[in-house]
Amino acid sequence: MAPIPGSGLAKGLAVTLRTMTKKSVTAQYPDAQPDLPPRTRGVIGLFEENCTVCMLCARECPDWCIYIDSHKETVPAATPGGRERSRNVLDRFAIDFSLCMYCGICIEVCPFDALFWSPEFEYAETDIRDLTHERDKLREWMWTVPAPPALDPGAEEPKELAAARKAADKLSAQQAPPATEPHADEQARAAEQPTRPQGDSKQQTDQPKPDQPKPDQSKPGQEGSA
């Protein structure tokens, strides 16, 4: 059957009329702030206390937009006669967000949880050179990082919590007073006593002792026949 001429136009106008009669749902930004999902990739926050200057994030970044500078400091020995050690001290940690493509590889490869996603996204600049943010600015965004979601009630306990609980139980067991134990002589005496079956107690008491003569079991009147 051939379509009726002008039916497509009528359907389009009907959709337009239905849309015009509905209430508008447009959020008037910036007066109305958007309700962002918890895993929004807005900007990267730095928790520099956890950074060990391992350079993994800078090496794995596909855009090479992470700049890290550091120097070494000598740490004195903790015990007398010990050996001095050296540690890396972070001097600069900067991210050029004009080059960043928000892939999140730097956050995933960080082994010490020093980088996090923050939902902040209002950091536009009039000059592109101002999009290179130093560690002070990255640290300010760290405090806007949302808390991690709660674990599934049926999920396994994290290994860190299990190890900490095991160490606490071991420490409390060492600090607890020892339980009272029986004397060593009583333990040895109890070990030397043989165990008797419950049904053989009467039979063992009826048996004659080895140093006593056995009674004559012969009946009267059988002596002459012998």
Side-chain angles (χ1 to χ4, degrees):
M1 182 178 179
I4 301 174
S7 60
L9 179 60
K11 290 181 181 179
L13 291 175
V15 173
T16 303
L17 291 174
R18 286 197 303 269
T19 306
M20 291 175 61
T21 56
K22 291 182 179 180
K23 184 179 180 181
S24 177
V25 293
T26 302
Q28 300 298 327
Y29 177 82
D31 297 333
Q33 292 292 328
D35 187 12
L36 300 175
R39 298 182 65 184
T40 300
R41 295 186 176 187
V43 74
I44 298 174
L46 171 67
F47 192 62
E48 59 181 286
E49 283 79 1
N50 288 354
C51 182
T52 60
V53 200
C54 64
M55 305 294 291
L56 276 177
C57 55
R59 288 199 298 264
E60 298 297 332
C61 177
D63 291 334
W64 292 86
C65 63
I66 301 178
Y67 311 108
I68 301 176
D69 293 332
S70 65
H71 69 278
K72 290 185 177 294
E73 286 185 355
T74 302
V75 180
T79 58
R83 186 181 61 180
E84 295 182 349
R85 299 183 180 274
S86 62
R87 65 184 180 93
N88 294 323
V89 179
L90 184 66
D91 293 332
R92 185 194 182 197
F93 194 106
I95 300 178
D96 188 357
F97 285 99
S98 64
L99 298 176
C100 179
M101 63 180 184
Y102 304 92
C103 63
I105 294 178
C106 58
I107 298 176
E108 294 178 2
V109 300
C110 180
F112 302 104
D113 292 336
L115 298 175
F116 297 87
W117 279 118
S118 169
E120 296 292 330
F121 62 94
E122 297 177 324
Y123 52 93
E125 301 289 347
T126 56
D127 191 349
I128 193 174
R129 292 172 294 183
D130 295 335
L131 286 175
T132 301
H133 297 303
E134 301 293 334
R135 63 175 181 175
D136 295 336
K137 186 65 175 179
L138 299 178
R139 183 178 179 84
E140 292 178 4
W141 279 322
M142 181 63 208
W143 311 122
T144 62
V145 174
L151 296 176
D152 188 0
E156 297 181 359
E157 187 181 29
K159 296 180 179 179
E160 294 82 2
L161 294 179
R165 183 174 291 104
K166 184 177 180 180
D169 295 342
K170 184 178 180 180
L171 182 62
S172 60
Q174 293 176 356
Q175 295 178 352
T180 56
E181 299 180 356
H183 198 267
D185 297 341
E186 298 180 1
Q187 293 182 356
R189 193 179 303 111
E192 292 176 357
Q193 293 180 356
T195 56
R196 292 181 179 178
Q198 187 176 0
D200 297 339
S201 59
K202 185 176 180 181
Q203 297 178 3
Q204 293 176 1
T205 53
D206 294 339
Q207 293 179 0
K209 296 181 179 180
D211 54 352
Q212 294 180 357
K214 295 183 179 180
D216 190 4
Q217 300 293 338
S218 62
K219 295 181 181 180
Q222 294 181 356
E223 297 177 357
S225 59

